[in-house]
Amino acid sequence: MKKHFWNIVTVICLGSLVLCFFRISWLKKEIKKLQNDVSSQITSLESNMRSNVSYMEGLLEQEASILANAEWKYGAYNREDFSLEVKCKITPKEYHPETTKAWIVFDEQEIPLELSNGQYVKSLQIPLFEESRVSQVMFEDDGVFRTETLDWTFSPLYDYIPDIYAYLVGRSSGNVRNGEYLWRHSGTLEVNWMGKGNAQAESVTMVRCLDGKSVEQMEIPLDEDDQNFSRSHEVALEYRIPFGSVQELYVDVVDTDGLRYRVLMNHIKIDENGIRIEEGEYEKQLQDGYTIIYDQEGKELYRGMR
């Protein structure tokens, strides 16, 4: 009888231990859940506090500002001098139409503004391939000057000029045959145009150059009135490259602004023994979208990574 009693006690104790184990495990999960909830609430609170601080700082800056509004936008492109119009509009909180004069500091030069319908306005002409800046606006009224920083930066090369990418997809091979290097490619020629300004693409051409001279061209079909497009053109290319020569394949895109964009797509250098030489510089250019931009007369306007 006593033996059964201790067996029962042992079973009860083991059962209690198992229950305690599951209870402790559940409590750990609950504590972990509470910790996560508290952490999430703290993160949310910190985010709300930062938003409120930013909002209050914005209100204080707006209150301290002498301007009710200040804005700019790109206007028309001038193909004669390769410049781009920038339209500036600035509205002060307080001004006297008869006596208040205003200027902006444009590339370290003071440019007077004109009053029109309660706004001080000015159209600037900025170079297409350089960065320009308006750093400050100034007002003068009966000898009293007020100034405010604007920090406007204009980068037409990145804001207006389209992004163009061209590359070959598929299988390429090369081998020496009859004293020349025979290069083949079978697949597609991919061209992507992402317009930013008002210009549209008018034509797309693949250009093959040997030692810097154009020796062959191939037109790529293009739909009309495309602001943005992506073209996949099937190609089966086979070119002979003399020993000691360099072959380059480009894609030329001409737009309605009269600019021609030449994008490097393929570069192969063969030495005097018919061995292909790998050139890291050109590999980087192929990856980074090396582009040359010409005017209608073929004059080079820009060369570099985009």
Side-chain angles (χ1 to χ4, degrees), residues 4-33:
H4 290 303
F5 172 77
W6 287 112
N7 287 338
I8 293 171
V9 170
T10 301
V11 170
I12 292 172
C13 290
L14 289 174
S16 298
L17 287 174
V18 171
L19 289 174
C20 288
F21 173 78
F22 283 110
R23 184 65 175 174
I24 291 171
S25 178
W26 178 81
L27 287 173
K28 285 182 178 180
K29 291 180 180 179
E30 288 297 308
I31 292 172
K32 184 65 175 179
K33 181 180 177 181

Side-chain angles (χ1 to χ4, degrees), residues 159-210:
D159 300 335
Y160 183 84
I161 295 294
D163 289 331
I164 306 172
Y165 301 94
Y167 48 93
L168 292 171
V169 176
R171 182 181 178 183
S172 297
S173 62
N175 61 283
V176 174
R177 181 177 295 182
N178 299 327
E180 294 179 308
Y181 188 88
L182 181 62
W183 180 82
R184 297 186 180 92
H185 178 85
S186 178
T188 59
L189 189 160
E190 306 289 332
V191 183
N192 297 319
W193 162 287
M194 289 173 279
K196 299 175 183 177
N198 298 320
Q200 296 178 344
E202 285 189 329
S203 67
V204 180
T205 308
M206 191 194 81
V207 180
R208 179 185 179 230
C209 294
L210 269 180

Side-chain angles (χ1 to χ4, degrees), residues 127-149:
L128 194 60
F129 302 103
E130 298 177 16
E131 190 172 88
S132 303
R133 185 169 177 260
V134 170
S135 58
Q136 192 179 61
V137 61
M138 303 183 297
F139 299 95
E140 186 267 330
D141 202 336
D142 292 334
V144 178
F145 286 85
R146 295 172 294 155
T147 65
E148 182 151 327
T149 299

